[in-house]
């Protein structure tokens, strides 16, 4: 069983604050790591797919880094906006796992005005 | 390009009944995966179908079964429903069962309540 941990479980920030979340996973047999953003009543939406140690991806105000040797990824949001309110899920895929995503429990972000 | 769709949106069943959930994959995708999200947890992998064959299964009992059709749409069937089966069921399609860094596209889910 692949143990994926995300922290914090939930986060309340003010508009304009920058924030970051952590995803921890076993580093052996690593193939890829996915970050998904999931707004209430919508479909989970892919943010990033990361594969290389030291990888850094960016989409607007959101960025992510990956450390496969120590088994963690950080997601950063700069200048949070109310529309960033969502649950952020990470899911690693192992080599030979056949695209099976193993999700963490997610970080629920609430951005308040 | 049509995204992943699921039906029904919500469903209420009683213990012991059977349920069928449906998923239409994104155009051009031949692989469908099903996930169960129980309250307070992340989505858990149930199984994956590729070209009408099961291609990997998570830690779910045999009363969870599936089908994939020639048009790559899919069904998830659950027999002998239990209260703990109450959850959001997500399906995700992808262009192939492996490679492409595992990119998957999710539907909005079916909320199943078992009373």
């Amino acid at each position: 069983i692949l143990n994926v941990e995300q922290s914090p479980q939930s986060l309340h920030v003010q508009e304009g604050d920058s924030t970051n979340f952590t995803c921890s996973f076993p580093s052996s047999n690593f193939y890829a790591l996915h970050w998904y953003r999931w707004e209430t009543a919508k479909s989970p939406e892919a943010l990033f797919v990361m594969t290389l140690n030291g990888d850094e991806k960016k989409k607007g105000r959101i960025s992510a880094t990956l450390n496969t040797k120590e088994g963690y990824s950080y997601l950063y949001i700069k200048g949070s906006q109310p529309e960033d309110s969502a649950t952020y899920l990470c899911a690693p895929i192992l080599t030979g796992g056949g695209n099976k995503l193993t999700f963490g429990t997610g970080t629920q972000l609430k951005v308040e005005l | 390009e049509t995204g992943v769709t699921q039906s029904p949106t919500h469903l209420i069943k009683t213990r012991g009944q059977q349920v069928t959930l449906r998923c239409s994959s994104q155009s051009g995708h031949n692989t469908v995966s099903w996930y169960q999200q129980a309250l307070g947890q992340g989505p858990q992998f149930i199984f994956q179908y590729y070209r009408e064959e099961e291609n990997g299964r998570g830690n779910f009992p045999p009363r969870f079964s599936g089908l994939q059709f020639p048009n790559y749409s899919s069904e998830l069937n659950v027999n002998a429903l239990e209260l703990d089966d109450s959850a959001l069921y997500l399906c995700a399609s992808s262009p192939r069962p492996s490679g492409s860094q595992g990119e998957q596209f999710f539907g909005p889910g079916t909320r199943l309540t078992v009373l």
Side-chain angles (χ1 to χ4, degrees):
Chain A
I1 296 176
L2 181 58
N3 189 28
V4 182
E5 294 184 0
Q6 290 190 247
S7 62
Q9 191 170 26
S10 65
L11 199 52
H12 285 232
V13 301
Q14 297 295 312
E15 184 180 10
D17 288 350
S18 293
T19 187
N20 64 86
F21 326 132
T22 304
C23 171
S24 300
F25 52 88
S27 55
S28 57
N29 301 319
F30 176 86
Y31 175 65
L33 181 90
H34 290 230
W35 279 101
Y36 279 86
R37 167 196 158 91
W38 194 1
E39 290 182 72
T40 303
K42 294 188 178 180
S43 306
E45 172 195 358
L47 281 175
F48 304 114
V49 181
M50 310 179 78
T51 57
L52 300 175
N53 185 45
D55 214 0
E56 184 169 339
K57 297 273 176 106
K58 188 173 180 182
K59 185 185 287 189
R61 294 178 291 98
I62 305 177
S63 61
T65 60
L66 178 67
N67 183 322
T68 60
K69 294 186 190 305
E70 295 184 34
Y72 66 83
S73 176
Y74 294 140
L75 186 80
Y76 301 91
I77 302 179
K78 184 178 177 181
S80 302
Q81 299 296 310
E83 58 265 30
D84 296 328
S85 298
T87 296
Y88 292 82
L89 292 161
C90 73
I93 294 180
L94 303 182
T95 302
N99 285 2
K100 168 188 169 182
L101 294 170
T102 301
F103 285 93
T105 53
T107 293
Q108 190 171 22
L109 174 67
K110 173 82 172 169
V111 182
E112 295 165 344
L113 295 168
Chain B
E1 185 179 84
T2 306
V4 179
T5 60
Q6 291 186 244
S7 62
T9 307
H10 296 90
L11 202 51
I12 299 175
K13 292 284 189 179
T14 56
R15 270 189 306 175
Q17 284 189 311
Q18 178 266 341
V19 70
T20 298
L21 311 182
R22 294 179 175 82
C23 172
S24 292
S25 58
Q26 186 163 312
S27 176
H29 289 185
N30 59 22
T31 302
V32 173
S33 301
W34 286 90
Y35 295 84
Q36 179 198 66
Q37 192 204 22
L39 198 62
Q41 297 183 20
Q44 301 292 308
F45 175 75
I46 303 174
F47 43 54
Q48 182 184 86
Y49 276 81
Y50 169 61
R51 291 188 175 178
E52 303 177 58
E53 298 284 332
E54 188 178 286
N55 184 50
R57 188 178 183 93
N59 190 28
F60 280 81
R63 59 189 185 83
F64 285 77
S65 63
L67 280 174
Q68 188 179 32
F69 299 99
N71 67 355
Y72 303 131
S73 65
S74 177
E75 286 182 355
L76 163 65
N77 298 292
V78 187
N79 292 323
L81 283 166
E82 300 177 0
L83 296 179
D84 285 350
D85 296 333
S86 295
L88 181 70
Y89 289 85
L90 294 163
C91 82
S93 73
S94 50
R96 57 188 64 83
S98 60
S100 296
Q101 301 172 348
E103 192 171 21
Q104 297 187 31
F105 298 81
F106 282 83
T110 292
R111 172 74 61 187
L112 172 65
T113 301
V114 182
L115 301 175

